[in-house]
Amino acid sequence: MNMEHNINELDELQQMREQIAVLRSKLETQQIVNEKVIVAAISKGVSNINRRGIILSIFGFLVIPFCCGGFYAMNYSDGFVLGTGIMLFVCLCATLYAHIGLRVTNVSRGNMLEVGEKVLRLRKLYVYWHLWSVPMILVWGYFLYREVCFIYPDPQMRNGFLIGAAVGGLIGAAIGLNEHFKVLRMADEVLSHIKELQE
C-alpha cells in the first residue's frame, strides 16, 4: 500500500514536471513571438519616419525653385530672392541632417541600443527645431513686408497681398506643425517599443 502510494506520488511528480516543461516551452515561444512583434513595430515606425523625411526632402527640393522663381517673376529684389533661397536651403539641409542617420538603419539586423540612439537624436533635433526656425521666419517676414511695401505702394493692394500672405503662412504653418508632431509621435512610439523590448 505504501509502495503504491509512493509510485502514485512519483507519477504525479513526473506529470507536474512535464506540465512545467510544456508551460516553460510555451512561455519561451510566447516571448519570442512578442519580441518579433515588437521588432516589427520598431521597424515599421523607423520606416514611417524615413518616409516622412523623404517626403519633406522632396517637398523642400521642389519649393526652393518654385518660391524663388515666383518672387523673381513678381519683381522682388535679388537680395530677397537670394535670401529666401538660402533660408529654404538651410531648412532642407536641417531636415536631411535630422533623418540621415536613420536612413541607413536596418532594424531587423541592428542593435536596438543603436537604433534607439539614432531615433533619440532625431527627436532632439525636432524638439529644438523652433529655436532657430522661428527667429529665421520672423526675420524673413520682416524683409517680405518691406518688399511688399516697396512693390505695392497702393495701400489697398498692399493690404490685400499681406492678408493673403498671412493666410497662406498660417495654412503652411499648420501643415508644417502637423508633420512636425507626427514625426515626434512616431519617434516616441519607436522609443517606447525599444524600452519594452529591453525590459
Side-chain angles (χ1 to χ4, degrees):
M1 182 97 173
N2 207 5
M3 185 100 163
E4 270 182 46
H5 182 68
N6 286 343
I7 291 171
N8 286 341
E9 279 185 358
L10 285 173
D11 283 346
E12 284 176 19
L13 191 60
Q14 185 60 33
Q15 284 176 356
M16 281 176 67
R17 281 185 186 150
E18 287 171 6
Q19 286 173 352
I20 288 169
V22 168
L23 186 61
R24 187 175 288 149
S25 174
K26 281 183 179 177
L27 285 171
E28 284 172 4
T29 305
Q30 185 64 40
Q31 189 176 356
I32 291 166
V33 169
N34 284 345
E35 284 179 8
K36 285 182 179 177
V37 168
I38 293 169
V39 169
I42 293 168
S43 183
K44 185 180 177 186
V46 169
S47 294
N48 286 339
I49 292 170
N50 284 337
R51 194 176 302 112
R52 291 278 168 196
I54 291 166
I55 291 166
L56 290 171
S57 300
I58 291 169
F59 181 73
F61 276 115
L62 295 173
V63 162
I64 293 171
F66 178 78
C67 283
C68 292
F71 284 129
Y72 184 77
M74 290 189 288
N75 294 322
Y76 282 70
S77 69
D78 292 343
F80 180 78
V81 172
L82 182 63
T84 299
I86 291 169
M87 181 192 75
L88 293 172
F89 183 72
V90 166
C91 291
L92 173 62
C93 289
T95 302
L96 290 169
Y97 177 72
H99 287 265
I100 198 83
L102 268 182
R103 289 209 182 106
V104 293
T105 302
N106 187 334
V107 175
S108 59
R109 290 188 218 154
N111 176 350
M112 284 303 152
L113 190 64
E114 185 187 339
V115 173
E117 284 172 359
K118 288 178 179 179
V119 173
L120 196 58
R121 174 186 161 274
L122 175 133
R123 191 188 186 287
K124 282 180 182 174
L125 289 167
Y126 264 76
V127 166
Y128 295 115
W129 190 276
H130 66 280
L131 292 179
W132 61 271
S133 62
V134 171
M136 187 168 63
I137 289 167
L138 291 173
V139 170
W140 179 81
Y142 167 74
F143 283 105
L144 174 66
Y145 176 78
R146 282 184 54 184
E147 290 284 324
V148 169
C149 288
F150 180 76
I151 292 171
Y152 305 109
D154 176 46
Q156 193 174 358
M157 206 166 174
R158 181 174 63 232
N159 291 340
F161 185 88
L162 289 172
I163 290 167
V167 169
L170 287 171
I171 292 168
I175 293 168
L177 284 171
N178 184 46
E179 287 300 312
H180 179 83
F181 288 117
K182 265 185 191 172
V183 172
L184 281 175
R185 278 195 302 273
M186 288 175 193
D188 286 340
E189 281 175 18
V190 169
L191 291 170
S192 172
H193 288 313
I194 290 171
K195 188 179 178 184
E196 190 182 344
L197 195 63
Q198 287 170 339
E199 287 170 355

